[in-house]
Amino acid sequence: MSAVPDAYTPELAALYAKKMVQRRTKGWGDDTNAVDEVANWCGMSGRALKRLINGERKIVGLDTYGRIHRAYVNYCLRMIRQLKHEVEITEEVHGHAAVADIIGEVEALEARAEAALSVAKTERIRA
């Protein structure tokens, strides 16, 4: 059994990295801080991550891809939990009826993200 994900490509790793950096950038001139922060999550140097995003790295090892993928899933999970918190605040302020249909969907999404993270961690162990 192969531990390599079906969709494993250097382009996908670069896409994950680029999305995280774009979402962490707060404004003009903050991209360096965002790159360094995301690189830290991925266990890479800022320069290595920037080279990956710019397409300068044509080969990405499975270990590097796994670290980027886990960082991306972790980041998505943090965003989902922030959304869940916002929904809970809305529920407290406006009552359950205002967000009744959203609560279940956010919790289901959180469960899916946690399952994806569990799979990503398992893939690392088998790799």
Side-chain angles (χ1 to χ4, degrees):
M1 176 188 286
S2 174
V4 179
D6 292 339
Y8 164 75
T9 64
E11 293 82 15
L12 185 58
L15 179 65
Y16 289 153
K18 185 175 183 177
K19 283 183 177 184
M20 287 187 288
V21 169
Q22 287 174 338
R23 291 178 181 151
R24 292 303 298 162
T25 302
K26 295 176 180 138
W28 291 102
D30 189 46
D31 57 338
T32 302
N33 293 335
V35 166
D36 290 341
E37 184 177 5
V38 171
N40 188 38
W41 297 344
C42 298
M44 303 172 71
S45 71
R47 177 67 186 134
L49 186 74
K50 193 71 171 171
R51 288 183 62 222
L52 174 68
I53 291 170
N54 291 337
E56 296 173 29
R57 287 185 67 178
K58 300 298 180 194
I59 298 173
V60 176
L62 184 59
D63 185 50
T64 302
Y65 174 83
R67 287 193 317 264
I68 294 168
H69 181 249
R70 282 188 300 280
Y72 182 73
V73 174
N74 268 320
Y75 181 72
C76 290
L77 190 54
R78 286 193 305 273
M79 296 289 95
I80 292 166
R81 288 180 176 153
Q82 285 179 352
L83 176 62
K84 184 179 177 183
H85 180 69
E86 293 294 325
V87 170
E88 289 169 351
I89 290 171
T90 302
E91 181 182 27
E92 288 176 15
V93 172
H94 299 288
H96 182 71
V99 292
D101 54 337
I102 298 173
I103 293 172
E105 292 180 30
V106 172
E107 289 174 347
L109 186 58
E110 181 181 27
R112 287 178 51 199
E114 288 173 347
L117 183 59
S118 177
V119 168
K121 287 180 179 177
T122 302
E123 287 174 353
R124 179 188 67 188
I125 293 169
R126 288 187 291 164

